[in-house]
Amino acid sequence: NRILYKPCFSALIIPKNLYIKILKNIGLTYDEILASQEYYEKRLNAFTINVQNYEYKDIYCYESVMQLIKHQQFIFYYHMGVKLIDLEVKDVVEILRNIINLLRKFENYYIAFTNSTSTNDEFYCMIKERQAVLLEIYEPLKSIQSMRVSIDEPMVVKAFEEYFTEKWEHIAPINRDKNEVINWIQKQIKLLETKISNEVV
């Protein structure tokens, strides 16, 4: 099983065509785009295979998600670093629709939103049960990881598992129940589609 804590959505929830579009828009070279695309596809394939057999839980900060929805700003994670980017409203709608598709397609995949501000907004943590913990502290405005650590000491991994499992259980059911999360995202899509219609008019 795997638990992920991240302030904003993972890059894996971005549809492939939009991911490539973003890579081109941030001014990467052709070789850099290919390397980033390969990195993305390798991670996505691993996710698709593993989530069919193991439980995958993602915890995201509500404020960061609303930053994406209200202001179309996304902390974009690619193989060279981290970058704060601006998206079009239609891009955000595409991301949200893809999240719903993933939640519906994979029975073992769950997303939760936390209002907690006790965890650093630039802190990323992924725990693979009984295997390892990956920790990162990054600075989006500088496009770098300030610190990256992988820990495989069993007792430390177990402690992280227990902490984030408890954190998941303390999130309000309405913010982690799959159907509730899907319903909330659908409402945000409708609001954004109304915004798009008004802009066209």
Side-chain angles (χ1 to χ4, degrees), residues 19-190:
Y19 189 88
I20 296 172
K21 173 185 171 182
I22 293 172
L23 291 175
K24 293 177 179 178
N25 287 347
I26 61 178
L28 299 184
T29 65
Y30 178 75
D31 288 341
E32 289 170 340
I33 290 174
L34 286 182
S36 293
Q37 184 178 338
E38 182 180 351
Y39 172 72
Y40 164 84
E41 290 178 348
K42 185 181 296 184
R43 293 179 63 212
L44 183 60
N45 288 338
F47 167 84
T48 302
I49 293 170
N50 292 332
V51 76
Q52 296 181 48
N53 300 303
Y54 300 100
E55 205 168 67
Y56 271 41
K57 293 179 177 178
D58 291 356
I59 303 173
Y60 299 113
C61 290
Y62 177 77
E63 288 185 6
S64 295
V65 173
M66 291 310 298
Q67 182 77 0
L68 169 66
I69 293 170
K70 288 185 175 181
H71 305 290
Q72 294 80 58
Q73 290 189 319
F74 188 88
I75 299 177
F76 184 63
Y77 197 104
Y78 61 115
H79 90 288
M80 295 176 63
V82 184
K83 190 177 182 67
L84 181 65
I85 61 172
D86 294 315
L87 297 173
E88 298 178 55
V89 178
K90 65 179 182 179
D91 295 334
V92 177
V93 170
E94 191 173 349
I95 289 173
L96 295 179
R97 283 179 177 158
N98 193 56
I99 292 172
I100 291 176
N101 290 337
L102 291 172
L103 288 170
R104 286 176 169 165
K105 182 177 181 180
F106 299 113
E107 184 179 349
N108 292 329
Y109 183 51
Y110 302 89
I111 284 178
F113 301 120
T114 176
N115 292 318
S116 172
T117 57
S118 60
T119 309
N120 192 309
D121 284 345
E122 296 174 348
F123 172 80
Y124 165 102
C125 181
M126 182 176 69
I127 305 104
K128 288 189 175 182
E129 187 179 29
R130 295 179 177 271
Q131 292 186 25
V133 176
L134 176 64
L135 299 171
E136 289 187 8
I137 296 177
Y138 52 86
E139 299 179 64
L141 298 181
K142 295 183 180 179
S143 299
I144 59 172
Q145 290 99 23
S146 298
M147 182 186 77
R148 185 173 189 174
V149 179
S150 180
I151 305 169
D152 59 9
E153 202 287 319
M155 293 304 294
V156 176
V157 175
K158 181 65 174 176
F160 271 88
E161 285 177 30
E162 292 177 352
Y163 172 79
F164 279 98
T165 297
E166 184 178 354
K167 187 175 182 68
W168 176 274
E169 294 300 328
H170 279 85
I171 295 173
I174 196 171
N175 290 330
R176 60 182 165 89
D177 176 82
K178 182 174 288 199
N179 289 330
E180 293 287 352
V181 169
I182 289 174
N183 289 338
W184 183 80
I185 293 175
Q186 286 176 326
K187 289 179 182 178
Q188 306 312 308
I189 290 174
K190 287 182 180 179

